[in-house]
Amino acid sequence: MLVRAFTHHDLTPLTALTIETFRPFYEETFRPLMGEAVFAVEYGDWREEYRKQVAELHAPDRHAHVAVAEVDGSLAGYVAWSVDPARRKAVVTILAVAAGHRRRRVGTTLCEHAFARMRALGAEVVEIGTGGDPFHAPARALYEELGCTALPVAVYYRPL
């Protein structure tokens, strides 16, 4: 596995990977669970939001970085993070692993790579968020395996 820095040529494939990775959550978990009214307001344009977000993830001048994993020349996944040097804190913004590469330590390798870069940039703490639903169970297991501690949080939605 090769882990390398983001290049401009990665934007289109990373955007596609992000949309494909999180499509089941939005379309098969959140939409049926919350209904159309809440879905439309909260995530109705989720694909376009990812197109915008992924385009802004790598901005070293803002202490925001992306690392890409390749296996045999194929995109396996990526991790995006930012560092707040004044607070000595980092945040993992997105971790996405291509379906054919899951359960092969790609997520672990990407996180460990990002953690090392965060430490080099002065971070002493990292925050990683994920959902409590079944779709996000593999992410929770990974973060716990990496030594992260979960903070119990409840988020409620209700149409008005």
Side-chain angles (χ1 to χ4, degrees):
M1 181 180 332
L2 169 69
V3 178
R4 61 171 178 76
F6 170 88
T7 69
H8 180 70
H9 299 292
D10 293 317
L11 181 57
T12 298
L14 293 187
T15 301
L17 172 61
T18 304
I19 290 170
E20 182 54 31
T21 297
F22 294 102
R23 183 198 55 74
F25 168 72
Y26 292 108
E27 299 298 336
E28 299 167 18
T29 299
F30 193 88
R31 183 189 296 259
L33 178 67
M34 300 309 301
E36 291 302 316
V38 172
F39 181 82
V41 170
E42 191 64 19
Y43 295 121
D45 204 13
W46 67 270
R47 288 175 183 86
E48 186 57 32
E49 291 299 319
Y50 273 135
R51 286 182 188 99
K52 291 176 190 173
Q53 182 184 21
V54 173
E56 297 175 356
L57 288 175
H58 188 74
D61 57 317
R62 289 186 289 112
H63 307 287
H65 307 272
V66 175
V68 177
E70 294 180 349
V71 174
D72 298 327
S74 169
L75 174 63
Y78 79 101
V79 62
W81 72 92
S82 62
V83 175
D84 181 344
R87 293 186 61 209
R88 300 183 319 272
K89 179 184 174 186
V91 176
V92 171
T93 312
I94 293 182
L95 173 66
V97 176
H101 295 281
R102 293 180 190 149
R103 305 281 189 215
R104 296 184 181 168
R105 304 204 46 87
V106 173
T108 300
T109 300
L110 283 166
C111 285
E112 289 172 345
H113 173 88
F115 293 170
R117 298 303 182 273
M118 293 168 188
R119 282 190 295 274
L121 293 169
E124 297 177 10
V125 173
V126 62
E127 173 186 327
I128 305 174
T130 194
D133 57 285
F135 171 84
H136 289 97
R140 291 191 307 275
L142 169 62
Y143 302 152
E144 290 170 14
E145 179 184 306
L146 289 168
C148 300
T149 302
L151 171 67
V153 175
V155 177
Y156 295 88
Y157 289 95
R158 177 181 175 256
L160 296 176

